[in-house]
Protein backbone atom coordinates (compact mmCIF):
# COMPACT_ATOMS: atom_id res chain seq x y z
CA UNK A 1 0.00 0.00 0.00
CA UNK A 2 1.19 3.50 -0.80
CA UNK A 3 2.12 6.01 1.88
CA UNK A 4 0.20 9.28 1.71
CA UNK A 5 2.46 12.28 2.21
CA UNK A 6 1.02 15.71 2.96
CA UNK A 7 3.46 18.36 1.73
CA UNK A 8 3.03 21.58 3.75
CA UNK A 9 4.41 24.84 2.42
CA UNK A 10 3.89 28.60 2.09
CA UNK A 11 2.93 30.07 5.50
CA UNK A 12 3.15 33.55 7.00
CA UNK A 13 6.85 34.11 6.41
CA UNK A 14 9.03 36.47 4.38
CA UNK A 15 10.27 33.35 2.61
CA UNK A 16 6.79 32.31 1.47
CA UNK A 17 7.60 32.36 -2.25
CA UNK A 18 10.88 30.50 -1.79
CA UNK A 19 8.99 27.81 0.09
CA UNK A 20 6.58 27.42 -2.85
CA UNK A 21 9.52 26.82 -5.19
CA UNK A 22 11.17 24.31 -2.82
CA UNK A 23 7.87 22.45 -2.29
CA UNK A 24 6.87 22.21 -5.93
CA UNK A 25 10.36 20.89 -6.75
CA UNK A 26 10.00 18.27 -3.99
CA UNK A 27 6.43 17.25 -4.90
CA UNK A 28 7.56 16.57 -8.43
CA UNK A 29 10.50 14.48 -7.17
CA UNK A 30 8.57 12.16 -4.85
CA UNK A 31 8.30 8.58 -6.17
CA UNK A 32 4.70 8.28 -7.31
CA UNK A 33 4.80 4.47 -7.27
CA UNK A 34 5.57 4.57 -3.53
CA UNK A 35 3.74 7.65 -2.30
CA UNK A 36 0.51 9.55 -2.88
CA UNK A 37 1.26 13.26 -2.62
CA UNK A 38 -1.25 15.69 -1.14
CA UNK A 39 -0.21 19.34 -1.46
CA UNK A 40 -1.15 21.52 1.49
CA UNK A 41 -0.53 25.13 0.59
CA UNK A 42 -0.71 27.45 3.61
CA UNK A 43 -1.62 30.91 2.31
CA UNK A 44 -0.19 34.03 3.94
CA UNK A 45 -3.39 34.40 5.98
CA UNK A 46 -2.93 30.87 7.38
CA UNK A 47 -5.77 29.27 5.40
CA UNK A 48 -4.82 25.82 4.08
CA UNK A 49 -5.66 24.68 0.55
CA UNK A 50 -5.29 21.54 -1.51
CA UNK A 51 -5.84 20.84 -5.19
CA UNK A 52 -4.26 19.35 -8.29
CA UNK A 53 -3.30 22.78 -9.68
CA UNK A 54 -0.83 23.25 -6.82
CA UNK A 55 1.67 20.89 -8.50
CA UNK A 56 2.43 23.39 -11.29
CA UNK A 57 4.75 26.29 -10.49
CA UNK A 58 3.41 28.57 -13.26
CA UNK A 59 -0.06 28.50 -11.64
CA UNK A 60 1.25 30.51 -8.67
CA UNK A 61 1.69 33.60 -10.86
CA UNK A 62 -2.06 34.26 -10.52
CA UNK A 63 -2.69 33.30 -6.90
CA UNK A 64 -6.38 34.36 -6.65
CA UNK A 65 -7.19 32.23 -9.71
CA UNK A 66 -5.17 29.31 -8.36
CA UNK A 67 -6.91 29.39 -4.98
CA UNK A 68 -10.32 29.59 -6.63
CA UNK A 69 -9.56 26.21 -8.20
CA UNK A 70 -8.41 24.75 -4.87
CA UNK A 71 -10.24 23.62 -1.74
CA UNK A 72 -9.92 24.93 1.79
CA UNK A 73 -8.95 22.16 4.18
CA UNK A 74 -8.15 21.42 7.79
CA UNK A 75 -6.87 18.38 9.69
CA UNK A 76 -8.80 16.23 12.08
CA UNK A 77 -7.70 13.51 14.42
CA UNK A 78 -9.79 10.41 14.93
CA UNK A 79 -9.12 6.95 16.36
CA UNK A 80 -7.77 5.96 12.95
CA UNK A 81 -5.19 8.70 12.70
CA UNK A 82 -5.03 12.14 11.11
CA UNK A 83 -7.06 13.10 8.06
CA UNK A 84 -7.28 16.03 5.74
CA UNK A 85 -10.83 17.33 5.87
CA UNK A 86 -12.45 19.52 3.21
CA UNK A 87 -14.10 22.69 4.46
CA UNK A 88 -16.99 24.30 2.55
CA UNK A 89 -17.72 20.89 1.13
CA UNK A 90 -20.24 20.86 -1.74
CA UNK A 91 -23.58 19.13 -1.01
CA UNK A 92 -23.64 17.24 -4.31
CA UNK A 93 -19.97 16.49 -4.74
CA UNK A 94 -18.93 15.82 -1.17
CA UNK A 95 -15.20 15.17 -0.98
CA UNK A 96 -14.09 12.43 1.34
CA UNK A 97 -11.50 12.97 4.07
CA UNK A 98 -8.00 11.78 3.11
CA UNK A 99 -5.94 9.92 5.70
CA UNK A 100 -2.41 11.35 5.89
CA UNK A 101 0.44 9.02 6.93
CA UNK A 102 3.32 11.47 6.95
CA UNK A 103 3.73 15.24 6.96
CA UNK A 104 6.50 16.79 4.90
CA UNK A 105 6.97 20.44 5.89
CA UNK A 106 8.85 22.45 3.26
CA UNK A 107 8.60 25.84 4.90
CA UNK A 108 11.19 28.50 5.45
CA UNK A 109 11.45 31.15 8.12
CA UNK A 110 9.59 32.32 11.18
CA UNK A 111 6.06 31.14 12.04
CA UNK A 112 6.76 27.75 10.49
CA UNK A 113 10.38 26.49 10.23
CA UNK A 114 11.03 27.70 13.79
CA UNK A 115 9.26 24.73 15.42
CA UNK A 116 5.73 26.06 14.94
CA UNK A 117 4.98 23.54 12.22
CA UNK A 118 6.66 20.71 14.17
CA UNK A 119 4.45 21.64 17.13
CA UNK A 120 1.34 21.40 14.98
CA UNK A 121 2.26 17.86 13.87
CA UNK A 122 3.25 16.82 17.40
CA UNK A 123 -0.10 18.05 18.66
CA UNK A 124 -1.94 16.10 15.97
CA UNK A 125 0.25 13.02 16.56
CA UNK A 126 1.18 12.95 12.87
CA UNK A 127 4.65 11.61 11.94
CA UNK A 128 6.67 14.30 10.16
CA UNK A 129 9.92 14.82 8.32
CA UNK A 130 12.53 17.27 9.69
CA UNK A 131 13.59 18.68 13.04
CA UNK A 132 11.46 18.46 16.17
CA UNK A 133 10.26 21.53 18.06
CA UNK A 134 13.36 22.19 20.13
CA UNK A 135 15.97 21.69 17.42
CA UNK A 136 13.96 23.73 14.92
CA UNK A 137 13.60 26.55 17.45
CA UNK A 138 17.31 26.51 18.34
CA UNK A 139 18.14 26.54 14.64
CA UNK A 140 15.94 29.55 13.99
CA UNK A 141 17.46 31.85 16.60
CA UNK A 142 21.00 32.67 15.48
CA UNK A 143 21.95 33.83 18.97
CA UNK A 144 20.66 30.71 20.78
CA UNK A 145 22.29 28.57 18.08
CA UNK A 146 25.64 30.22 18.84
CA UNK A 147 25.14 29.60 22.55
CA UNK A 148 24.55 25.89 21.94
CA UNK A 149 27.62 25.67 19.69
CA UNK A 150 29.84 27.46 22.17
CA UNK A 151 28.59 25.15 24.90
CA UNK A 152 29.61 22.19 22.75
CA UNK A 153 33.01 23.72 21.91
CA UNK A 154 32.15 24.19 18.22
CA UNK A 155 33.44 27.19 16.20
CA UNK A 156 31.21 30.25 15.81
CA UNK A 157 31.73 34.01 16.15
CA UNK A 158 30.77 35.47 19.53
CA UNK A 159 28.02 38.06 19.39
CA UNK A 160 26.30 40.83 21.34
CA UNK A 161 22.53 40.37 21.46
CA UNK A 162 19.99 43.05 22.32
CA UNK A 163 16.27 43.76 22.20
CA UNK A 164 14.63 46.41 20.02
CA UNK A 165 13.12 48.05 23.11
CA UNK A 166 16.47 48.32 24.87
CA UNK A 167 17.83 50.09 21.77
CA UNK A 168 14.84 52.38 21.24
CA UNK A 169 14.94 53.60 24.86
CA UNK A 170 18.60 54.64 24.55
CA UNK A 171 20.05 54.35 21.06
CA UNK A 172 23.36 55.97 22.00
CA UNK A 173 24.01 53.60 24.91
CA UNK A 174 23.33 50.47 22.84
CA UNK A 175 25.45 51.78 19.95
CA UNK A 176 28.33 52.50 22.35
CA UNK A 177 28.11 49.02 23.85
CA UNK A 178 28.19 47.43 20.41
CA UNK A 179 31.21 49.51 19.41
CA UNK A 180 33.01 48.63 22.62
CA UNK A 181 32.20 44.90 22.61
CA UNK A 182 32.48 44.13 18.89
CA UNK A 183 34.28 46.97 17.08
CA UNK A 184 34.14 47.83 13.37
CA UNK A 185 33.57 46.47 10.81
CA UNK A 186 30.60 44.57 12.16
CA UNK A 187 27.39 42.91 11.02
CA UNK A 188 23.94 43.72 12.37
CA UNK A 189 21.18 41.16 11.87
CA UNK A 190 17.84 40.13 13.33
CA UNK A 191 18.37 36.75 15.04
CA UNK A 192 15.53 34.93 13.36
CA UNK A 193 15.14 36.01 9.77
CA UNK A 194 16.52 34.45 6.63
CA UNK A 195 17.24 35.45 3.05
CA UNK A 196 19.50 38.30 4.20
CA UNK A 197 16.48 40.37 5.26
CA UNK A 198 17.40 43.26 7.60
CA UNK A 199 21.16 42.50 7.54
CA UNK A 200 23.82 45.20 7.12
CA UNK A 201 27.58 45.45 7.19
CA UNK A 202 28.62 48.46 9.27
CA UNK A 203 32.01 50.14 8.92
CA UNK A 204 31.59 53.16 11.21
CA UNK A 205 29.58 54.56 14.11
CA UNK A 206 27.71 56.83 11.66
CA UNK A 207 26.32 53.83 9.79
CA UNK A 208 25.44 51.90 12.93
CA UNK A 209 22.15 53.59 13.86
CA UNK A 210 20.73 53.23 10.33
CA UNK A 211 21.64 49.55 10.31
CA UNK A 212 19.97 48.92 13.68
CA UNK A 213 16.90 50.96 12.67
CA UNK A 214 16.55 48.67 9.66
CA UNK A 215 17.05 45.50 11.72
CA UNK A 216 14.50 46.47 14.41
CA UNK A 217 11.89 47.08 11.71
CA UNK A 218 12.10 43.34 10.97
CA UNK A 219 12.72 41.76 14.34
CA UNK A 220 12.64 42.26 18.08
CA UNK A 221 15.93 40.53 18.89
CA UNK A 222 19.07 41.69 17.12
CA UNK A 223 22.68 40.58 17.15
CA UNK A 224 25.94 42.30 16.37
CA UNK A 225 29.06 40.33 15.48
CA UNK A 226 32.45 40.98 13.95
CA UNK A 227 32.34 41.22 10.15
CA UNK A 228 34.80 38.99 8.40
CA UNK A 229 36.27 41.11 5.64
CA UNK A 230 38.37 38.51 3.85
CA UNK A 231 35.42 36.23 3.48
CA UNK A 232 34.60 33.04 1.65
CA UNK A 233 31.31 31.31 2.39
CA UNK A 234 31.09 27.53 2.49
CA UNK A 235 27.93 25.48 3.03
CA UNK A 236 27.49 21.83 3.88
CA UNK A 237 24.33 19.73 4.20
CA UNK A 238 23.72 17.00 6.77
CA UNK A 239 21.15 14.20 6.44
CA UNK A 240 20.04 11.80 9.16
CA UNK A 241 19.17 11.93 12.83
CA UNK A 242 20.98 12.15 16.15
CA UNK A 243 21.95 8.43 15.96
CA UNK A 244 23.32 8.40 12.49
CA UNK A 245 24.04 11.23 10.07
CA UNK A 246 26.19 12.02 7.06
CA UNK A 247 27.50 15.19 5.49
CA UNK A 248 27.32 16.18 1.82
CA UNK A 249 30.07 17.70 -0.29
CA UNK A 250 30.62 21.41 0.42
CA UNK A 251 29.53 24.26 -1.83
CA UNK A 252 30.70 27.83 -2.18
CA UNK A 253 27.90 30.28 -3.01
CA UNK A 254 28.90 33.49 -4.77
CA UNK A 255 27.72 36.95 -3.91
CA UNK A 256 27.46 40.10 -5.99
CA UNK A 257 27.59 42.51 -3.08
CA UNK A 258 29.32 42.57 0.26
CA UNK A 259 26.74 40.26 1.71
CA UNK A 260 24.96 37.41 0.03
CA UNK A 261 21.63 39.03 -0.80
CA UNK A 262 18.09 37.83 -1.44
CA UNK A 263 18.71 38.57 -5.13
CA UNK A 264 21.89 36.46 -5.17
CA UNK A 265 20.06 33.61 -3.53
CA UNK A 266 16.83 33.43 -5.45
CA UNK A 267 16.81 35.60 -8.52
CA UNK A 268 19.40 33.84 -10.48
CA UNK A 269 23.02 33.35 -9.81
CA UNK A 270 26.04 35.47 -10.41
CA UNK A 271 26.43 38.57 -12.55
CA UNK A 272 25.58 37.98 -16.17
CA UNK A 273 24.00 34.63 -15.34
CA UNK A 274 21.51 33.37 -17.89
CA UNK A 275 19.31 32.26 -15.02
CA UNK A 276 18.24 35.79 -14.03
CA UNK A 277 14.67 35.70 -12.79
CA UNK A 278 14.45 31.93 -13.00
CA UNK A 279 12.39 30.09 -10.41
CA UNK A 280 14.76 27.42 -9.18
CA UNK A 281 15.08 28.76 -5.64
CA UNK A 282 18.33 27.98 -3.83
CA UNK A 283 19.18 25.59 -6.65
CA UNK A 284 19.72 28.58 -8.98
CA UNK A 285 22.27 30.42 -6.84
CA UNK A 286 25.67 31.07 -8.42
CA UNK A 287 27.87 28.51 -6.72
CA UNK A 288 30.76 26.10 -7.00
CA UNK A 289 30.12 22.45 -6.13
CA UNK A 290 32.21 20.97 -4.71
CA UNK A 291 33.74 24.07 -3.19
CA UNK A 292 37.28 24.80 -4.29
CA UNK A 293 38.90 24.06 -0.92
CA UNK A 294 41.48 21.50 0.17
CA UNK A 295 40.41 17.95 0.96
CA UNK A 296 41.45 18.53 4.61
CA UNK A 297 39.35 21.67 4.91
CA UNK A 298 36.38 19.93 3.36
CA UNK A 299 36.78 16.99 5.76
CA UNK A 300 37.06 19.38 8.73
CA UNK A 301 33.84 21.16 7.71
CA UNK A 302 31.96 17.90 7.13
CA UNK A 303 33.02 16.58 10.52
CA UNK A 304 32.03 19.79 12.32
CA UNK A 305 28.71 19.77 10.44
CA UNK A 306 27.81 16.34 11.84
CA UNK A 307 28.78 17.49 15.33
CA UNK A 308 26.57 20.58 15.01
CA UNK A 309 23.69 18.47 13.70
CA UNK A 310 23.95 16.25 16.77
CA UNK A 311 24.52 19.13 19.19
CA UNK A 312 21.15 20.67 18.35
CA UNK A 313 19.45 17.26 18.03
CA UNK A 314 18.49 17.80 14.40
CA UNK A 315 16.65 15.38 12.13
CA UNK A 316 15.99 15.24 8.39
CA UNK A 317 18.09 17.34 6.05
CA UNK A 318 19.70 20.64 7.07
CA UNK A 319 22.25 23.02 5.60
CA UNK A 320 24.93 24.58 7.75
CA UNK A 321 26.54 27.78 6.47
CA UNK A 322 30.08 28.78 7.36
CA UNK A 323 32.13 31.94 7.19
CA UNK A 324 35.76 31.29 6.26
CA UNK A 325 38.32 33.95 7.17
CA UNK A 326 40.96 33.85 4.45
CA UNK A 327 43.11 36.36 6.35
CA UNK A 328 43.36 33.94 9.29
CA UNK A 329 44.45 30.60 7.89
CA UNK A 330 41.00 29.86 6.41
CA UNK A 331 39.57 29.60 9.90
CA UNK A 332 35.91 28.61 9.77
CA UNK A 333 32.96 29.73 11.87
CA UNK A 334 29.49 28.21 11.73
CA UNK A 335 27.23 31.13 10.82
CA UNK A 336 23.78 29.59 10.74
CA UNK A 337 21.80 26.41 10.28
CA UNK A 338 18.80 26.11 8.00
CA UNK A 339 16.76 23.26 9.43
CA UNK A 340 14.62 23.18 6.26
CA UNK A 341 17.04 24.49 3.65
CA UNK A 342 16.04 26.08 0.34
CA UNK A 343 15.43 23.37 -2.28
CA UNK A 344 16.14 20.94 0.62
CA UNK A 345 19.78 21.18 -0.50
CA UNK A 346 19.03 18.39 -3.00
CA UNK A 347 21.68 19.76 -5.39
CA UNK A 348 24.35 19.08 -2.72
CA UNK A 349 23.14 15.51 -2.29
CA UNK A 350 22.99 14.87 -6.01
CA UNK A 351 26.63 16.04 -6.14
CA UNK A 352 27.36 13.60 -3.28
CA UNK A 353 25.80 10.74 -5.25
CA UNK A 354 22.30 10.58 -3.76
CA UNK A 355 19.36 11.19 -6.12
CA UNK A 356 16.64 13.57 -4.92
CA UNK A 357 13.98 10.86 -5.15
CA UNK A 358 16.10 8.52 -2.98
CA UNK A 359 16.84 11.31 -0.54
CA UNK A 360 13.10 11.76 0.03
CA UNK A 361 12.82 8.00 0.76
CA UNK A 362 15.52 8.37 3.39
CA UNK A 363 13.74 11.39 4.92
CA UNK A 364 10.51 9.39 5.17
CA UNK A 365 12.34 6.45 6.82
CA UNK A 366 13.95 8.78 9.38
CA UNK A 367 10.56 10.30 10.23
CA UNK A 368 8.89 6.90 10.70
CA UNK A 369 11.81 5.71 12.84
CA UNK A 370 11.35 8.71 15.15
CA UNK A 371 7.64 7.98 15.36
CA UNK A 372 8.29 4.33 16.26
CA UNK A 373 10.70 5.41 18.99
CA UNK A 374 8.12 7.85 20.32
CA UNK A 375 5.42 5.20 20.28
CA UNK A 376 7.59 3.09 22.57
CA UNK A 377 7.85 5.85 25.16
CA UNK A 378 5.51 6.06 28.09
CA UNK A 379 3.31 9.14 27.96
CA UNK A 380 0.65 8.19 30.49
CA UNK A 381 0.69 6.80 33.98
CA UNK A 382 -2.36 5.31 35.60
CA UNK A 383 -3.34 7.24 38.68
CA UNK A 384 -6.34 7.30 40.87
CA UNK A 385 -6.17 11.03 41.57
CA UNK A 386 -9.53 12.06 40.13
CA UNK A 387 -11.55 9.40 41.97
CA UNK A 388 -11.30 11.28 45.27
CA UNK A 389 -11.65 14.86 43.97
CA UNK A 390 -14.89 16.82 44.30
CA UNK A 391 -15.53 20.60 44.20
CA UNK A 392 -19.09 20.18 45.41
CA UNK A 393 -20.41 21.90 42.24
CA UNK A 394 -23.96 21.33 41.02
CA UNK A 395 -23.20 20.04 37.55
CA UNK A 396 -23.20 22.26 34.52
CA UNK A 397 -26.02 24.66 35.37
CA UNK A 398 -25.88 27.71 33.14
CA UNK A 399 -23.19 26.23 30.97
CA UNK A 400 -23.61 25.91 27.23
CA UNK A 401 -23.18 22.17 27.53
N1 LIG B 1 29.99 37.98 10.47
C1 LIG B 1 29.88 38.17 9.14
N2 LIG B 1 30.94 38.65 8.43
C2 LIG B 1 30.84 38.87 7.10
N3 LIG B 1 29.72 38.65 6.37
C3 LIG B 1 28.62 38.18 7.02
C4 LIG B 1 28.64 37.91 8.43
N4 LIG B 1 27.43 37.48 8.79
C5 LIG B 1 26.68 37.46 7.67
N5 LIG B 1 27.39 37.88 6.60
C6 LIG B 1 26.89 38.00 5.21
O1 LIG B 1 25.50 38.20 5.22
C7 LIG B 1 24.83 37.11 4.57
C8 LIG B 1 23.53 36.80 5.26
O2 LIG B 1 23.78 36.52 6.64
P1 LIG B 1 23.20 35.24 7.36
O3 LIG B 1 23.63 35.29 8.77
O4 LIG B 1 23.59 34.05 6.59
O5 LIG B 1 21.65 35.47 7.30
P2 LIG B 1 20.45 34.79 6.49
O6 LIG B 1 19.76 33.92 7.47
O7 LIG B 1 19.59 35.92 6.09
O8 LIG B 1 21.04 34.02 5.34
C9 LIG B 1 25.86 35.97 4.64
O9 LIG B 1 25.60 35.01 3.64
C10 LIG B 1 27.16 36.72 4.43
O10 LIG B 1 27.33 37.06 3.06
MG1 LIG C 1 22.61 32.71 5.33
Amino acid sequence: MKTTIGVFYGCRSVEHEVSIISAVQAMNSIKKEKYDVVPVYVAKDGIMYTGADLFTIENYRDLPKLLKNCHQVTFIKTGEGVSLHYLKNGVFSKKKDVKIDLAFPIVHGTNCEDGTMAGYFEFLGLPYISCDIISAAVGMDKSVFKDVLMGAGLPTLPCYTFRARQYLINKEKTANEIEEKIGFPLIIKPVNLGSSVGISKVKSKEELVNAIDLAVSFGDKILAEKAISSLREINCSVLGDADDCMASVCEEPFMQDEILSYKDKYLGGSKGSKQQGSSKGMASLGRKIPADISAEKSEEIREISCKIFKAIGASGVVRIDYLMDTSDNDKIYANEINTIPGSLAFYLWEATGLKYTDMIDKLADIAFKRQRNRDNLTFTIDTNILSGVSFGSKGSKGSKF
Side-chain angles (χ1 to χ4, degrees):
M1 223 175 70
K2 285 201 210 176
T3 300
T4 304
I5 297 192
V7 176
F8 291 72
Y9 60 102
C11 294
R12 196 161 53 88
S13 152
V14 291
E15 294 169 280
H16 184 95
E17 283 75 17
V18 185
S19 155
I20 294 173
I21 297 169
S22 295
V24 173
Q25 276 170 344
M27 289 194 289
N28 290 310
S29 302
I30 296 176
K31 288 178 187 162
K32 303 294 175 309
E33 67 278 14
K34 211 167 159 188
Y35 305 98
D36 283 324
V37 182
V38 179
V40 182
Y41 170 61
V42 187
K44 284 186 178 167
D45 58 7
I47 295 176
M48 294 187 273
Y49 295 86
T50 197
D53 289 3
L54 293 167
F55 286 100
T56 309
I57 193 71
E58 287 78 14
N59 290 342
Y60 293 82
R61 290 180 192 160
D62 186 348
L63 207 52
K65 184 174 161 210
L66 172 62
L67 297 186
K68 237 173 155 179
N69 293 331
C70 293
H71 302 274
Q72 281 189 31
V73 293
T74 188
F75 290 83
I76 52 168
K77 187 173 173 66
T78 65
E80 270 103 70
V82 176
S83 297
L84 171 140
H85 176 74
Y86 287 85
L87 296 166
K88 299 186 178 167
N89 217 337
V91 179
F92 300 109
S93 58
K94 222 168 164 46
K95 286 191 168 292
K96 277 209 184 117
D97 291 356
V98 181
K99 185 167 177 294
I100 303 291
D101 303 311
L102 180 67
F104 191 178
I106 307 183
V107 291
H108 307 310
T110 40
N111 303 318
C112 43
E113 187 188 355
D114 54 4
T116 308
M117 199 102 239
Y120 181 58
F121 300 136
E122 292 276 357
F123 191 69
L124 284 171
L126 181 61
Y128 61 98
I129 287 171
S130 91
C131 286
D132 64 5
I133 299 172
I134 181 85
S135 52
V138 168
M140 183 55 63
D141 186 312
K142 292 185 169 113
S143 158
V144 175
F145 175 63
K146 280 172 183 291
D147 290 343
V148 173
L149 261 51
M150 283 180 184
L154 294 163
T156 187
L157 287 171
C159 68
Y160 172 77
T161 309
F162 58 98
R163 295 274 173 190
R165 189 172 156 71
Q166 168 195 336
Y167 166 69
L168 294 172
I169 288 172
N170 193 340
K171 291 189 175 188
E172 187 63 22
K173 183 163 177 263
T174 306
N176 285 340
E177 276 176 16
I178 292 172
E179 182 178 17
E180 190 185 306
K181 293 201 161 87
I182 307 291
F184 299 107
L186 56 84
I187 295 276
I188 294 287
K189 53 180 127 170
V191 297
N192 63 357
L193 288 179
S195 301
S196 303
V197 174
I199 300 189
S200 315
K201 183 169 179 183
V202 179
K203 293 177 188 126
S204 65
K205 188 83 176 279
E206 292 69 52
E207 293 172 11
L208 187 53
V209 168
N210 279 347
I212 307 177
D213 282 342
L214 174 73
V216 298
S217 71
F218 286 106
D220 172 52
K221 195 176 169 193
I222 313 295
L223 75 76
E225 68 184 1
K226 184 180 115 179
I228 296 194
S229 298
S230 310
L231 175 71
R232 279 178 76 186
E233 296 186 60
I234 308 289
N235 303 340
C236 179
S237 177
V238 182
L239 175 71
D241 60 20
D243 299 329
D244 187 19
C245 63
M246 56 184 176
S248 73
V249 295
C250 298
E251 67 166 332
E252 179 171 9
F254 296 123
M255 48 197 168
Q256 297 186 27
D257 263 323
E258 275 194 305
I259 62 172
L260 203 56
S261 69
Y262 193 89
K263 194 162 145 252
D264 289 328
K265 286 177 184 169
Y266 306 120
L267 299 182
S270 49
K271 259 183 199 150
S273 156
K274 290 213 177 69
Q275 289 181 330
Q276 281 285 343
S278 74
S279 58
K280 296 204 176 84
M282 269 304 279
S284 72
L285 173 68
R287 57 161 59 81
K288 179 112 177 48
I289 304 175
D292 200 1
I293 50 177
S294 68
E296 295 76 44
K297 199 74 208 168
S298 163
E299 210 32 58
E300 179 193 343
I301 292 173
R302 294 172 81 171
E303 225 172 83
I304 292 174
S305 298
C306 287
K307 285 186 183 159
I308 292 176
F309 188 89
K310 289 183 179 183
I312 74 157
S315 175
V317 64
V318 308
R319 197 190 74 233
I320 301 167
D321 297 352
Y322 295 88
L323 305 172
M324 187 162 95
D325 189 348
T326 57
S327 69
D328 185 13
N329 236 342
D330 287 350
K331 201 161 173 194
I332 55 141
Y333 301 94
N335 180 41
E336 63 162 336
I337 185 168
N338 292 284
T339 56
I340 306 182
S343 299
L344 295 180
F346 79 85
Y347 50 90
L348 284 175
W349 287 102
E350 294 208 323
T352 311
L354 181 65
K355 280 205 225 119
Y356 197 9
T357 50
D358 295 334
M359 178 182 128
I360 293 172
D361 276 352
K362 279 192 188 295
L363 292 173
D365 290 347
I366 294 163
F368 283 126
K369 176 185 153 200
R370 176 172 59 198
Q371 190 63 26
R372 280 195 303 277
N373 289 342
R374 293 263 166 100
D375 290 346
N376 289 333
L377 295 175
T378 307
F379 284 114
T380 56
I381 38 172
D382 289 329
T383 69
N384 225 0
I385 293 175
L386 292 176
S387 64
V389 178
S390 167
F391 295 149
S393 67
K394 298 251 165 26
S396 54
K397 231 185 200 172
S399 121
K400 281 190 185 152
F401 308 100

